[in-house]
Amino acid sequence: MKRTSGLLFVISAPSGAGKTSLCRAITDSLGNLTHSISYATRQPRPGEIDGRDYYFVTQERFQEMIKAGDFAEWAEVHANLYGTSRRVLDDIIGRGIDVILDIDTQGARQIKTKYPDAIFIFIMPPSLEILEERLRNRKSDREEEIKRRLQRAHGEIRDYGMYGYIVINRDFDRALSELRSIVTAERCRTRLADAAWIESMM
Ligand code: 5GP
């Protein structure tokens, strides 16, 4: 049964918790679920592709988009600007497709006021030590960047109470399975059911 409006899942986590890989794996493994591509002013990392990982734009272009009201949410993260296009998001939801936003806690707060039905999931690393180890293994960030991301992790974790679900990424497959369960359960909400069809059986 095709819904007329897609569900909006917001997933946040401290950098290095494995959120990007989990988001990619869940959209690959479940149907009718996609991931919204954000706009970002940072430089692409090795292997990242414009239009697949992010739409990489200049600070000037990003500021123009803010002025034009193009963003459903936007935030400054690690001295770079990131934002979700309102048009892209509303278009996906309007087609009845469920969508995941992989955004920081500042952006999540903005989505909460604009899209009250959105579902909020926070991914936790098993420990701060493991978070640091994962950031170092990534080898794409300089030392000061790693320090900045670790510092920020504390602030992000402080916002966990805003989220309806917590998934601990100790083991990737287990975390993925928990995420799939959350999406599946949310799709079974009574408010999403075809009331006319159910009532026809009464
Ligand atoms: P990274 O530079 O490592 O790809 O992302 C840094 C942080 O920016 C991550 O926490 C990521 O979730 C967040 N981020 C990515 N896209 C967006 C966005 O469109 N809006 C907001 N608010 N945060 C974003």
Side-chain angles (χ1 to χ4, degrees):
M1 187 198 329
K2 187 109 174 90
R3 275 182 274 114
T4 51
S5 178
L7 296 175
L8 172 52
F9 294 92
V10 174
I11 303 191
S12 306
S15 179
K19 176 177 45 139
T20 308
S21 314
L22 280 170
C23 286
R24 203 161 285 157
I26 194 173
T27 49
D28 284 349
S29 71
L30 285 179
N32 202 52
L33 179 68
T34 189
H35 160 249
S36 159
I37 301 164
S38 296
Y39 284 78
T41 63
R42 76 157 164 73
Q43 290 298 313
R45 295 199 186 104
E48 282 185 333
I49 296 172
D50 184 40
R52 185 196 69 183
D53 299 288
Y54 284 106
Y55 295 113
F56 295 103
V57 293
T58 61
Q59 287 266 352
E60 292 70 34
R61 176 76 192 114
F62 199 99
Q63 294 293 349
E64 279 169 19
M65 291 180 74
I66 295 175
K67 278 205 197 97
D70 287 348
F71 291 118
E73 63 74 35
W74 67 273
E76 186 177 329
V77 185
H78 311 304
N80 294 304
L81 301 172
Y82 296 85
T84 305
S85 158
R86 183 191 304 278
R87 189 179 47 78
V88 170
L89 183 57
D90 290 344
D91 176 61
I92 298 171
I93 296 173
R95 284 188 285 133
I97 298 169
D98 299 337
V99 61
I100 289 183
L101 299 187
D102 163 349
I103 62 176
D104 85 320
T105 56
Q106 306 170 75
R109 189 164 290 121
Q110 297 166 48
I111 293 292
K112 197 156 210 167
T113 58
K114 291 186 192 152
Y115 298 84
D117 288 336
I119 299 122
F120 294 80
I121 307 168
F122 194 79
I123 298 178
M124 282 289 293
S127 71
L128 287 176
E129 290 71 30
I130 291 177
L131 187 73
E132 178 165 0
E133 195 183 301
R134 287 182 185 163
L135 281 174
R136 289 192 189 286
N137 285 343
R138 197 144 79 174
K139 294 191 172 68
S140 56
D141 292 321
R142 290 189 313 261
E143 183 60 27
E144 70 250 42
E145 182 64 25
I146 292 172
K147 291 239 166 66
R148 198 149 44 137
R149 283 171 189 268
L150 277 173
Q151 196 58 41
R152 212 186 126 75
H154 299 283
E156 295 248 287
I157 293 170
R158 208 165 287 143
D159 286 329
Y160 82 95
M162 192 168 75
Y163 293 77
Y165 294 96
I166 306 284
V167 170
I168 303 169
N169 186 14
R170 186 170 288 115
D171 170 76
F172 186 85
D173 290 340
R174 168 127 191 230
L176 178 60
S177 150
E178 289 179 1
L179 270 182
R180 288 170 55 106
S181 303
I182 294 166
V183 171
T184 305
E186 287 293 337
R187 286 175 168 176
C188 296
R189 288 269 184 203
T190 305
R191 69 176 170 81
L192 302 177
D194 182 346
W197 173 72
I198 295 175
E199 281 158 25
S200 74
M201 296 189 196
M202 287 175 184

